Amino acid sequence: MRKANLNKLEILFKKAAPKAAKRASLGVNGIGYYVHFPAKAPIDEYVNATSIRPGTVQFYFNAKAHSLIARAILPLYVQLACNRCFAREVVKAIQSGNKGRLAQLIRRYVKACALQSVCIANSGFSLGFVFPFSPYKVYNEFFRESLRFRRPAQRKKP
């Protein structure tokens, strides 16, 4: 991770989650990694990112923090993937801007003491984790991304 070695990450991802690796694409930088899953238009893809905020630090990666975050969020993502009622409730909380309800839903499955914040962000959510052994807050984010570009409005000639 520190070296932003995408090839090595892809090999590890294929070993850990072979079915997901067939559908997903990956991105990596010196502070985290991103998993992109295709979706139907107009969304195009869902993105899960675990990273320190860009601009905070360069090439700092704490494997222990990332491992603990992965362990903590797994029950949440299992529910999002398998429980349509729960997923609808999460979407409803995000779309209505109800941060309290979103936090309540997420904290039902993410039990880690290190989870410091739950926010609505980028048409999804952002979970902020703080660990005593790391000087930086690490975020796990889930959001939808639309890659479609709209044509700029035509200007009328005077």
Side-chain angles (χ1 to χ4, degrees):
M1 283 308 202
R2 286 185 195 113
K3 295 177 184 175
N5 186 335
L6 185 57
N7 291 332
K8 180 136 183 162
L9 180 63
E10 286 177 337
I11 290 166
L12 293 171
F13 187 52
K14 285 176 184 175
K15 281 184 180 179
K19 287 183 182 178
K22 288 178 184 176
R23 294 181 26 130
S25 62
L26 302 174
V28 63
N29 59 25
I31 56 175
Y33 50 92
Y34 310 84
V35 183
H36 303 258
F37 290 96
K40 293 179 182 176
I43 295 170
D44 291 323
E45 61 182 21
Y46 286 100
V47 180
N48 180 262
T50 302
S51 180
I52 297 169
R53 289 276 190 250
T56 306
V57 66
Q58 290 183 333
F59 298 103
Y60 177 86
F61 184 85
N62 188 304
K64 183 177 179 182
H66 283 261
S67 178
L68 290 171
I69 290 170
R71 189 176 309 147
I73 64 171
L74 187 59
L76 170 66
Y77 286 100
V78 167
Q79 286 300 311
L80 285 172
C82 299
N83 184 340
R84 284 183 174 215
C85 292
F86 176 75
R88 274 195 281 273
E89 285 296 311
V90 169
V91 168
K92 189 174 159 184
I94 291 167
Q95 289 177 338
S96 67
N98 190 338
K99 182 182 169 187
R101 177 69 176 142
L102 179 64
Q104 180 186 41
L105 290 165
I106 287 176
R107 288 181 185 276
R108 191 182 298 168
Y109 296 101
V110 181
K111 305 288 188 183
C113 296
L115 178 59
Q116 187 185 53
S117 61
V118 176
C119 297
I120 295 171
N122 296 326
S123 68
F125 57 81
S126 175
L127 310 178
F129 292 85
V130 175
F131 299 97
F133 53 82
S134 175
Y136 303 101
K137 189 181 227 184
V138 183
Y139 294 86
N140 177 266
E141 299 177 291
F142 183 76
F143 55 93
R144 66 179 190 209
E145 192 163 79
S146 178
L147 305 175
R148 305 228 185 266
F149 296 99
R150 292 188 179 151
R151 291 180 126 184
Q154 295 279 331
R155 290 190 211 174
K156 293 183 179 182
K157 294 182 181 177

